[in-house]
Amino acid sequence: VHFHHFALIGLEALALTRRVLPQARIVATLHDYHPICANDGLMVTTGGALCHGASPDACHACLPDIAQHRFATRNLHLRNMLGLVDRFIAPSRFLKDRFVAWGIAADRIDVIENAVAAAPVDSGKQAARVRRTFGLFANVAPHKGTLLALAAISRVAEAIPDAVLRIHGGMNFQDDAFRRNFETTLCETGDAATHCGPYPREDLP
């Protein structure tokens, strides 16, 4: 049984699977740091600094409305649930290293990088073309640098009027405040930026 993600499912699905299918091999893909980090899985503090590891003290300092003992309980519960997984898949060595530091044995995590099939390219045309189009391929979210990219293209467009940014990605699970901020900032860039919306994986090349 392969769990691609636990969002909207819950880690308790692992316990249910183990109970209903005791002989099954359970595989889970680790896309992000949600099990490690209570701050939306970002491993960035609420003050904006990078976080290199979770602990009850550090997490309470980051999220002071949550008591320290609740972080310890959360950590124990998550480790117990993930202990039911036979094999993990990580898309990068960096992500694997974060989970190994958190306590998952290195030999339980295989790195399989996200791959995109190469598209044929006419190298002659590519070399001759002036490149003034930038692309951002990611979910539209605060931690993906979307607003930073919009600010950057506004500055670039002042010097190079035909420079443009095309943002490819959906806006799932974002709150209204961020959506309004994104839409306002996008409008302020004028013709310099376009939000093209989500795309199917096969269109990425």
Side-chain angles (χ1 to χ4, degrees):
V1 178
H2 176 208
F3 286 90
H4 185 63
H5 210 295
F6 295 102
L8 309 181
I9 298 173
L11 283 170
E12 292 75 15
L14 291 169
L16 177 63
T17 302
R18 181 58 73 215
R19 187 165 72 246
V20 174
L21 301 170
Q23 304 304 316
R25 297 267 294 164
I26 298 176
V27 178
T29 299
L30 301 168
H31 291 281
D32 48 44
Y33 307 106
H34 275 102
I36 301 174
C37 176
N39 184 28
D40 203 21
L42 299 177
M43 289 194 76
V44 174
T45 70
T46 50
L50 290 178
C51 175
H52 299 286
S55 71
D57 289 341
C59 295
H60 176 66
C62 184
L63 300 165
D65 291 341
I66 302 175
Q68 289 168 298
H69 72 273
R70 291 192 57 197
F71 289 110
T73 304
R74 174 187 187 275
N75 185 49
L76 180 62
H77 173 66
L78 292 173
R79 287 172 187 267
N80 284 339
M81 289 294 103
L82 293 177
L84 299 171
V85 175
D86 295 294
R87 207 80 183 162
F88 293 97
I89 298 168
S92 71
R93 174 72 52 187
F94 183 87
L95 186 140
K96 175 180 177 175
D97 289 346
R98 298 287 74 72
F99 276 93
V100 169
W102 185 64
I104 295 178
D107 60 1
R108 293 178 62 205
I109 306 175
D110 292 307
V111 176
I112 302 176
E113 295 183 2
N114 292 331
V116 177
V121 175
D122 185 333
S123 57
K125 289 182 180 179
Q126 291 290 332
R129 192 181 72 196
V130 176
R131 298 176 188 223
R132 292 185 174 150
T133 301
F134 300 88
L136 176 63
F137 296 83
N139 289 324
V140 178
H143 59 280
K144 297 286 187 177
T146 314
L147 298 178
L148 184 64
L150 287 172
I153 196 62
S154 293
R155 294 182 65 180
V156 170
E158 290 175 4
I160 308 170
D162 57 345
V164 295
L165 170 68
R166 294 189 184 130
I167 299 172
H168 298 267
M171 204 182 313
N172 300 329
F173 311 116
Q174 301 307 316
D175 61 31
D176 291 339
F178 174 76
R179 287 173 181 268
R180 285 192 300 270
N181 192 2
F182 171 74
E183 290 165 4
T184 300
T185 308
L186 181 65
C187 288
E188 289 171 352
T189 64
D191 295 332
T194 303
H195 180 214
C196 303
Y199 57 89
R201 181 176 174 81
E202 58 269 21
D203 284 353
L204 188 55

